[in-house]
Amino acid sequence: IESLDESCYRRIEEALYAGGFRPGDIVVNTWSYHMVPAGHWFDEGIRRLGATVIPMGVGNTELQVQVLHDMRVTGWAGSTGFLTTILNKAEEMGYDVRRDFALRVVSAGGEMGGGPMRKIFEEKYGLITSDAYGTADVGILAYECSQKSGMHICEGIVVEIADPATGKQLGPGEVGQVVVTPFDNTYPLIRFGTGDLSAYIAEPCPCGRTSLKLTKIMGRVGDAVRTRGMFIHPRQINEVASKFPEISRYQAAVTRPGTRDELVLKLELTDETIDKDKLSVTVGKTFQDICRIRIDRVEFVPKGTIPEGAKGIVDERVY
């Protein structure tokens, strides 16, 4: 029986190869190496494939562009939104991505509704793109092949689609919770509910792989919302708000006005005379410390705007 890390690395290597990565590629890994496992998992998976990894993590957009150009990088891994930001910055800096970069293949995911952005990467920049699905608890579970008609379930794990209420297994095409049993001696999980909604496809795939496939992730069972590759739980937002007696009601909202998730924290105040600019900065820093993601702005709304008992976070994105 493999350890969790060993099994996860093997599945990431499997997903990267199916997505077009090959030995000899030079790959920038922008998944975070801090407080989340994705950075380390992809780092090792890329190395096992026989490619060279440049561990960049997130941030420093201009430096990301410079490394892509100067190091003749051929592969990239990270969130769809961050790649969009990097490529836009490259164009602002005067680069023609097709002409001036050696970039060939990208693994861009981690966000709901990333398909349209990957289509732009393919059509505008001529890149090979792929997505994969996983969780911090078990690593990569499924991945796209060249057909892009669903995500193949990785070998070595059991994945079920179950009714969220009863736990009963559902049939092909029926939407339910993704439930996983990894064969792991170190971190055993039996029928672990990921909280994600999907369905499985039983038809054979033209690529020749025989594993069942999952459809795209269709939402969440619980109240957590995934944005920019990170889950935000209502309890985290409650922890933020509890540190500020000036806040009477609150609600976070995730939208996608363009090609990037936008996160706004709406606040009702106990006293409208409070220094809102100062409070906005302090709340923003506290939010990032607790939720590990930066909000785009704090929006102060009149009393009564947020209904009593409203959800702590709402997903307003349209896919």
Side-chain angles (χ1 to χ4, degrees):
I1 299 177
E2 295 178 306
S3 69
L4 174 64
D5 284 344
E6 181 69 25
S7 175
C8 180
Y9 296 150
R10 177 178 50 75
R11 283 182 265 131
I12 290 176
E13 180 183 354
E14 182 183 345
L16 289 169
Y17 189 87
F21 290 79
R22 293 294 180 268
D25 275 325
I26 300 173
V27 183
V28 161
N29 179 26
T30 67
W31 289 115
S32 176
Y33 285 73
H34 177 62
M35 295 298 291
V36 293
H40 296 283
W41 284 349
F42 270 83
D43 190 296
E44 181 65 19
I46 293 165
R47 294 174 191 272
R48 287 176 177 234
L49 186 65
T52 299
V53 61
I54 301 176
M56 291 291 291
V58 296
N60 301 307
T61 310
E62 289 192 9
L63 180 59
Q64 298 271 0
V65 173
Q66 183 180 345
V67 169
L68 285 176
H69 177 265
D70 295 353
M71 300 298 291
R72 306 302 294 163
V73 170
T74 58
W76 188 93
S79 72
T80 48
F82 191 38
L83 182 56
T84 299
T85 299
I86 291 171
L87 296 179
N88 288 342
K89 175 60 69 173
E91 292 175 333
E92 289 175 14
M93 295 168 65
Y95 289 111
D96 182 309
V97 174
R98 281 182 179 261
R99 182 194 64 207
D100 300 328
F101 287 61
L103 195 58
R104 180 183 65 83
V105 57
V106 300
S107 173
E111 296 177 342
M112 296 286 287
M117 286 188 278
R118 286 191 293 276
K119 186 175 181 181
I120 292 173
F121 301 153
E122 293 169 358
E123 295 179 352
K124 183 176 180 180
Y125 302 110
L127 301 174
I128 300 170
T129 74
S130 64
D131 191 13
Y133 165 58
T135 76
D137 303 274
V138 295
I140 295 295
L141 308 177
Y143 57 85
E144 281 186 335
C145 65
S146 59
Q147 299 298 312
K148 291 183 171 53
S149 56
M151 294 183 288
H152 289 277
I153 296 172
C154 293
E155 297 180 4
I157 55 174
V158 175
V159 176
E160 307 167 63
I161 301 297
D163 186 306
T166 66
K168 181 181 177 181
Q169 289 187 17
L170 300 176
E174 295 182 284
V175 177
Q177 180 176 200
V178 179
V179 176
V180 188
T181 302
F183 294 97
D184 172 50
N185 193 39
T186 306
Y187 186 32
L189 294 169
I190 298 176
R191 301 199 79 210
F192 171 75
T194 64
D196 292 318
L197 295 172
S198 185
Y200 74 84
I201 304 167
E203 289 81 8
C205 184
C207 79
R209 292 176 175 84
T210 57
S211 62
L212 295 176
K213 291 187 292 186
L214 296 178
T215 64
K216 67 180 181 179
I217 302 304
M218 302 176 183
R220 292 282 297 171
V221 174
D223 293 328
V225 173
R226 189 170 190 168
T227 177
R228 294 185 231 143
M230 297 289 288
F231 282 113
I232 306 174
H233 295 263
R235 65 175 181 273
Q236 292 174 295
I237 302 173
N238 181 62
E239 183 179 351
V240 174
S242 67
K243 297 181 181 298
F244 298 92
E246 306 95 325
I247 297 174
S248 60
R249 291 184 185 176
Y250 59 88
Q251 186 177 66
V254 182
T255 62
R256 181 175 286 130
T259 57
R260 175 185 177 277
D261 289 340
E262 184 173 277
L263 178 59
V264 176
L265 182 61
K266 300 177 182 179
L267 301 178
E268 292 184 17
L269 301 178
T270 57
D271 182 358
E272 292 294 330
T273 64
I274 291 170
D275 186 337
K276 294 180 181 178
D277 290 338
K278 182 178 179 180
L279 181 62
S280 178
V281 172
T282 309
V283 169
K285 184 180 184 304
T286 304
F287 191 100
Q288 187 167 358
D289 289 342
I290 292 174
C291 300
R292 302 296 172 185
I293 189 170
R294 181 180 59 82
I295 56 177
D296 291 282
R297 70 179 185 276
V298 174
E299 185 177 301
F300 297 99
V301 298
K303 289 183 179 181
T305 302
I306 302 171
E308 184 176 357
K311 290 184 177 181
I313 182 168
V314 293
D315 187 351
E316 298 176 347
R317 291 169 291 191
V318 178
Y319 304 110

